[in-house]
């Protein structure tokens, strides 16, 4: 397969791109356009009493996840906040979170005046390491937030076991994990609450949006009330019982989500098949280590396809320069988070504003070496919409990496 070694040129330096496909997202057709247009014509845009399309989508999403309830809201940060509030956390309580995730997983903990406790990830999965979780529990710990990072299930048996023994709540941050599964169950449906985002980049999107799912009657009632300015079903519009806000979505978002949800299963199957194939291909390349292949009872939905990059196999080419070359070859990719979350100025400088975080909390000494390594040296992400490509596209991703390797190790 070695071809044209002499005049082969990187796309970054004017050569031909290895990957010719253009990957687009979101994916929609006239069905979505018509559905939104009909709502616009009806004038029923908002949801004074939540709206029939909002309720319909909530029921569809709960059914898809296999839960009793779903409560939609404005985004996947607010959904975490609703879940935390409903779990009854008190100021100063500790919430265990991974440091390798989007800021919302930890910043929503601050928003309820609780203390994010960062626990390192497992080097094979980039998900919370259950042994490290157990070691971080104190008498102040109230909640664990496992993030199913990239769409790969956390070790939920181990996490639920820890939670049961220590009487903790489990909120699954499933913002990457629509349609992914663990032992036959949809992610988000396993802990006390599952939280999802419908922001533009996510595997199910309406531009912005979020949702929580649960089987617990009490948690459901509280989250529905907090989402709707503290109102309760069966009471008057201007009666407020709980300290919520208006976090409701519009009918336009809900109808888009209903149609997008119909596409999710097929898209998830495709990303999963492509991800498994890409792992086979990339495992053959020196210096490229895909995160471990998932067991058969786990369905990865590849919100991100992640592999570890080892610069010495590429003549010391920095990861940043490698990713710039790979992107130029036509692979939608990134180096991901620049730092573990605790390194953000928010935490290092204690910019907590009005939040009641105890003075003794000090993030300057936190060190999670696996997350540090992932951020600094190792991780390369390929985005979910590229995982909707063909089998040939996956082959082309691998070819693009081999091309870069050939060129940089020759010069
Ligand atoms: C996107 C994301 C969120 C928050 O979602 P928004 O809808 O952007 O507020 C939370 N957690 C993780 C892991 C995410 O990737």
């Amino acid at each position: 397969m070695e071809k044209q070694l002499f005049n082969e040129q990187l796309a970054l330096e004017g050569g031909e791109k290895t990957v010719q496909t253009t990957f687009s997202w979101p994916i929609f057709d006239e069905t979505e356009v018509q559905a939104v247009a009909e709502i616009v014509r009806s004038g029923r845009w908002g949801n004074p009493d939540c709206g029939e399309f909002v309720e319909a989508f909530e029921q569809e999403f709960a059914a898809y996840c296999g839960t009793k309830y779903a409560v939609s809201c404005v985004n996947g940060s607010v959904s975490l906040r609703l879940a935390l509030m409903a779990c009854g956390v008190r100021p100063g309580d500790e919430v265990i979170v991974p440091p390798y995730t989007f800021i919302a997983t930890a910043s929503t903990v601050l928003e309820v005046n609780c203390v994010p406790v960062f626990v390192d990830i497992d080097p094979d999965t980039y998900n919370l390491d259950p042994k490290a979780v157990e070691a971080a529990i104190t008498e102040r710990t109230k909640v664990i937030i496992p993030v199913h990072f990239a769409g790969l299930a956390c070790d939920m048996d181990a996490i639920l076991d820890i939670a049961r023994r220590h009487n903790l709540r489990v909120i699954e941050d499933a913002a990457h994990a629509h349609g992914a599964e663990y032992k036959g169950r949809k992610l988000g449906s396993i802990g006390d609450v599952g939280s999802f985002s419908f922001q533009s980049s996510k595997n199910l999107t309406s531009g912005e949006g979020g949702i929580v799912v649960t089987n617990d009657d009490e948690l459901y009632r509280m989250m529905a009330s907090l989402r709707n300015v503290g109102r309760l079903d069966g009471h008057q519009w201007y009666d407020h019982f709980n300290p919520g806000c208006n976090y409701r979505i519009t009918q336009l978002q809900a109808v888009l989500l209903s149609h997008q949800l119909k596409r999710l299963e097929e898209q998830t199957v495709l990303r999963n098949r492509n991800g498994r194939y890409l792992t086979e291909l990339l495992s053959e390349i020196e210096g490229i280590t895909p995160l471990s292949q998932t067991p058969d009872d786990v369905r990865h939905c590849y919100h991100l396809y992640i592999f570890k990059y080892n610069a010495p196999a590429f003549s010391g080419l920095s990861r940043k320069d490698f990713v710039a070359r790979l992107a130029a070859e036509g692979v939608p990719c990134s180096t991901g988070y620049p730092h573990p979350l605790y390194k953000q100025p928010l935490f290092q400088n204690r910019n907590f504003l009005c939040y009641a975080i105890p003075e003794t909390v000090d993030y300057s000494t936190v060190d999670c070496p696996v997350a540090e390594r992932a951020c600094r040296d190792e991780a390369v992400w390929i985005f979910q919409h590229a995982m909707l490509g063909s089998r040939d596209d996956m082959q082309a991703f691998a070819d693009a990496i081999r091309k870069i390797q050939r060129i940089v190790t020759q010069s």
Side-chain angles (χ1 to χ4, degrees), residues 271-346:
R271 285 191 201 93
N272 180 272
R273 193 190 314 134
N274 278 333
R276 285 172 176 272
Y277 181 50
L278 190 56
T279 294
E280 278 172 35
L281 298 174
L282 299 193
S283 301
E284 303 288 309
I285 303 177
E286 202 198 328
I288 300 294
T289 313
L291 291 190
S292 61
Q293 189 68 277
T294 55
D296 284 339
D297 57 2
V298 167
R299 181 164 84 162
H300 199 318
C301 70
Y302 293 102
H303 174 64
L304 302 168
Y305 181 94
I306 303 179
F307 63 82
K308 299 181 196 175
Y309 173 73
N310 188 27
F314 290 75
S315 299
L317 180 72
S318 75
R319 182 184 55 157
K320 178 166 159 284
D321 290 342
F322 167 76
V323 163
R325 281 156 183 70
L326 191 59
E329 294 298 332
V331 182
C333 63
S334 156
T335 51
Y337 306 123
H339 310 288
L341 284 185
Y342 52 80
K343 287 280 173 69
Q344 292 287 344
L346 166 64

Side-chain angles (χ1 to χ4, degrees), residues 75-77 101-102 104-105 147 173 175-176 197 199 202 209:
N75 59 53
S77 306
T101 175
F102 182 60
T105 313
V147 179
D173 186 344
H176 293 184
S197 165
Q199 179 266 347
K202 308 295 157 111

Side-chain angles (χ1 to χ4, degrees), residues 50-62 251 254 258 261:
C50 264
E52 63 274 27
F53 289 100
V54 176
E55 278 172 25
F57 172 68
E58 288 174 344
Q59 281 169 17
E60 289 156 15
F61 196 74
Q251 299 259 71
S258 284
L261 180 60

Side-chain angles (χ1 to χ4, degrees), residues 78-320:
V78 159
S79 56
L80 286 169
R81 183 187 176 136
L82 294 177
L84 283 161
M85 289 178 80
C87 282
V89 292
R90 313 295 308 168
D93 284 349
E94 294 176 0
V95 176
I96 291 177
V97 297
Y100 193 72
T101 175
F102 182 60
I103 185 76
T105 313
S107 59
T108 51
V109 173
L110 296 178
E111 286 186 306
V112 294
N113 294 302
C114 291
V115 180
V117 173
F118 293 101
V119 163
D120 210 353
I121 52 175
D122 179 309
D124 292 330
T125 63
Y126 284 4
N127 275 333
L128 263 185
D129 176 355
K131 281 199 253 359
V133 168
E134 182 115 44
I137 290 171
T138 72
E139 68 273 20
R140 304 227 62 142
T141 312
K142 288 291 158 54
V143 177
I144 307 171
I145 307 184
V147 179
H148 302 298
F149 198 77
L152 172 62
C154 291
D155 183 349
M156 289 308 289
D157 283 345
I159 288 169
L160 290 180
D161 176 59
I162 293 167
R164 213 173 293 118
R165 284 188 286 104
H166 296 272
N167 195 27
L168 309 176
R169 294 285 203 174
V170 174
I171 300 171
E172 299 174 70
D173 186 344
H176 293 184
H178 321 69
E181 291 173 7
Y182 177 79
K183 302 189 176 179
R185 298 167 75 184
K186 286 283 187 305
L187 299 187
S189 72
I190 303 167
D192 294 287
V193 183
S195 166
F196 294 84
S197 165
F198 303 131
Q199 179 266 347
S200 305
S201 69
K202 308 295 157 111
N203 290 22
L204 181 65
T205 182
S206 51
E208 299 288 354
I211 204 163
V212 281
V213 295
T214 187
N215 289 311
D216 185 301
D217 298 351
E218 286 302 307
L219 291 174
Y220 162 69
R221 266 217 298 282
M222 183 55 87
M223 292 189 293
S225 175
L226 295 171
R227 178 269 309 267
N228 194 19
V229 212
R231 295 187 179 108
L232 286 176
D233 272 357
H235 291 266
Q236 297 299 309
W237 185 250
Y238 285 124
D239 287 344
H240 306 275
F241 297 85
N242 294 303
C245 284
N246 175 359
Y247 294 128
R248 301 182 308 260
I249 62 170
T250 66
Q251 299 259 71
L252 302 160
Q253 288 163 288
V255 82
L256 258 182
L257 287 165
S258 284
H259 285 286
Q260 290 284 301
L261 180 60
K262 291 186 191 139
R263 304 177 188 274
L264 178 64
E265 186 59 24
E266 202 183 314
Q267 291 172 342
T268 305
V269 168
L270 179 57
R271 285 191 201 93
N272 180 272
R273 193 190 314 134
N274 278 333
R276 285 172 176 272
Y277 181 50
L278 190 56
T279 294
E280 278 172 35
L281 298 174
L282 299 193
S283 301
E284 303 288 309
I285 303 177
E286 202 198 328
I288 300 294
T289 313
L291 291 190
S292 61
Q293 189 68 277
T294 55
D296 284 339
D297 57 2
V298 167
R299 181 164 84 162
H300 199 318
C301 70
Y302 293 102
H303 174 64
L304 302 168
Y305 181 94
I306 303 179
F307 63 82
K308 299 181 196 175
Y309 173 73
N310 188 27
F314 290 75
S315 299
L317 180 72
S318 75
R319 182 184 55 157
K320 178 166 159 284

